[in-house]
Amino acid sequence: MPLSRLVTAAVATSCLALLPLVTASPAGASGGPAAPDRPLRQLAADDHLRVGTAVDMSALADDSVYRRLTGSEFSAVTPENVMKWESVEPRQGEYDYAAADHLVDFARRHGQQVRGHVLVWHSQLPPWLTSGDFGADQLRAILHRHITDTVRHFRGRVWQWDVVNEAFNEDGTLRDSIWLRALGPGYIEDAFRWAHEADPHALLFYNDYNTEWTGPKSDAVYDLVSRLRAEGVPIDGVGFQGHLSIRYDLPTGMAANFARFDRLGLDTAVTEADVRMAVPADDAKSATQAEGYRRLLDACLRTPHCVSFTVWGFTDRYSWVPGTFPGEGAANLFDEDYRPKPAYRALESELAGRARPRSAH
Ligand code: G3I
């Protein structure tokens, strides 16, 4: 086990030990319904797992129930948008880390780890970058600087980084992007090397969707990370986003897929779980949704080095889904009024019913 992993594990363990024993507030006492008796973070700690959520910073600022549940239910947080390039460097050379720093401070106060999201992606890039007329050498320097400055800024405060996000198409070919066009496929390994130089203790992840099961895309990610490991590129883990829809059959074989990455000596994580449906919800759809969440968590818990299970938002009150998939939504663990749904109960009982031993590579 590398020293960096040992240090992280030690920090994680000490943080878990210091978790505030958040108890349920009486219904309505702080402006919302009661939190469940044993929050997910406590149940997950018994299984040596961090349970996280993506955080919407406007909701965190404006909605006290959202804020309370973010702190009490989860032991890790991911900024939903505020660490993305368009947010941290809206004008070239002018960094604005204020919103992301705010979340990192929130996490520290609540004994939570931070998943840094995201360093290299084709989306949510600032206009100065996408509309600039940069040559390959300039783009390489710009990417190097972005990774170095951002990772250094959060050095020691970010547990896992999504270094490269969504680099593949569904057929397993590399996605056309500003990075692939200008720099060729080598941008991926460069990104990991640069991130490692900037914070040798952060865990560095490749992250993607529709890779939870085996198929051309997951095989391509597997081939990539196998090669990176063999070549000594500093990659620590693979993130499976876990954006499911009950419109399709729920996936099978996820644990076997996670296991082959585990056998490479990599950590794994579920990084963005949600299970959407055509709205309105009903009991049957909610039950199928709960099974989707349960399967994702089950795959993680069966994988010895699956270190965190993160949902992409936890309440239907705030979700990216309706804006992206018109007519779909209700994808989260709590409804719009913060009532826990069957999906929440499924995670709760899955966590409570397991006793996963601590495991280290
Ligand atoms: O920043 C502008 C703001 O200035 C403006 O007032 C507002 C008006 O709509 O829009 C804001 O931008 C929005 C941004 O989120 C920040 O809130 C964009 O319109 C909106 O499209 C953007 O959506 C995000 C999406 O990534 C963009 O690709 C979602 O919130 C976020 O949940 C989603 O997250 C991604 C992960 O990063 C990667 N994996 C897939 C996942 C879901 O798409």
Side-chain angles (χ1 to χ4, degrees):
M1 183 174 186
L3 180 61
S4 64
R5 188 76 56 70
L6 277 171
V7 170
T8 306
V11 171
T13 308
S14 63
C15 284
L16 285 174
L18 292 173
L19 288 183
L21 292 178
V22 182
T23 50
S25 309
S30 57
D37 286 344
R38 270 198 94 200
L40 296 179
R41 64 184 290 171
Q42 279 188 19
L43 297 170
D46 295 347
D47 294 314
H48 309 289
L49 180 76
R50 289 270 171 175
V51 62
T53 182
V55 178
D56 174 329
M57 295 308 289
S58 303
L60 194 73
D62 299 341
D63 180 336
S64 61
V65 182
Y66 182 92
R67 199 160 51 242
R68 173 165 62 83
L69 289 172
T70 301
S72 62
E73 285 290 329
F74 300 98
S75 50
V77 289
T78 306
E80 184 174 358
N81 285 297
V82 298
M83 268 187 204
K84 293 172 179 174
W85 200 328
E86 68 174 8
S87 297
V88 300
E89 196 183 6
R91 283 164 299 282
Q92 190 171 14
E94 288 181 31
Y95 288 110
D96 181 359
Y97 293 118
D101 282 338
H102 184 71
L103 181 61
V104 172
D105 288 346
F106 179 94
R108 187 183 41 76
R109 288 199 307 277
H110 291 83
Q112 296 168 319
Q113 293 279 24
V114 177
R115 293 200 81 258
H117 178 80
V118 49
L119 295 172
V120 189
W121 195 25
H122 61 275
S123 185
Q124 289 182 280
L125 296 169
W128 64 261
L129 175 55
T130 49
S131 58
D133 188 19
F134 299 112
D137 288 347
Q138 287 171 302
L139 273 177
R140 189 175 153 80
I142 286 170
L143 185 62
H144 184 199
R145 180 165 181 261
H146 169 69
I147 292 173
T148 303
D149 290 352
T150 302
V151 175
R152 266 197 198 141
H153 178 84
F154 295 105
R155 188 177 170 127
R157 300 187 294 152
V158 162
W159 178 38
Q160 306 172 12
W161 273 108
D162 287 332
V163 177
V164 177
N165 194 42
E166 302 173 5
F168 287 99
N169 297 310
E170 296 303 304
D171 66 0
T173 57
L174 281 172
R175 181 195 290 270
D176 181 45
S177 72
I178 186 172
W179 310 118
L180 184 67
R181 275 196 300 279
L183 309 180
Y187 81 86
I188 296 177
E189 56 212 65
D190 286 342
F192 280 95
R193 289 198 169 101
W194 295 335
H196 183 69
E197 281 165 17
D199 185 352
H201 297 310
L203 296 177
L204 305 183
F205 275 65
Y206 176 82
N207 190 50
D208 215 326
Y209 61 89
N210 290 354
T211 49
E212 296 79 9
W213 49 88
T214 48
K217 191 174 188 180
S218 155
D219 291 350
V221 174
Y222 181 79
D223 291 345
L224 168 76
V225 300
S226 304
R227 183 176 60 77
L228 296 183
R229 290 292 276 189
E231 293 175 358
V233 175
I235 178 171
D236 299 287
V238 172
F240 303 96
Q241 293 185 6
H243 293 293
L244 305 184
S245 166
I246 68 164
R247 163 194 298 257
Y248 311 108
D249 288 342
L250 293 177
T252 55
M254 293 192 287
N257 185 44
F258 289 17
R260 63 177 175 158
F261 290 90
D262 194 87
R263 285 193 295 270
L264 291 175
L266 291 163
D267 286 345
T268 51
V270 174
T271 55
E272 305 184 15
D274 54 18
V275 185
R276 61 187 185 272
M277 63 179 69
V279 288
D282 61 27
D283 287 352
K285 291 186 216 174
S286 298
T288 306
Q289 174 182 64
E291 175 61 10
Y293 273 101
R294 194 199 64 76
R295 285 190 195 187
L296 283 167
L297 178 58
D298 173 70
C300 179
L301 289 172
R302 284 178 194 277
T303 309
H305 309 100
C306 185
V307 292
S308 57
F309 180 91
T310 294
V311 293
W312 204 243
F314 62 89
T315 165
D316 295 340
R317 188 175 279 247
Y318 311 104
S319 167
W320 67 285
V321 171
T324 303
F325 297 97
E328 294 186 64
N332 304 103
L333 301 178
F334 292 81
D335 72 12
E336 293 187 359
D337 296 319
Y338 292 108
R339 283 185 293 258
K341 293 158 60 174
Y344 179 92
R345 298 299 175 199
L347 297 190
E348 191 179 38
S349 64
E350 200 67 14
L351 290 168
R354 306 288 268 259
R356 196 172 72 142
R358 181 180 300 284
S359 193
H361 277 302

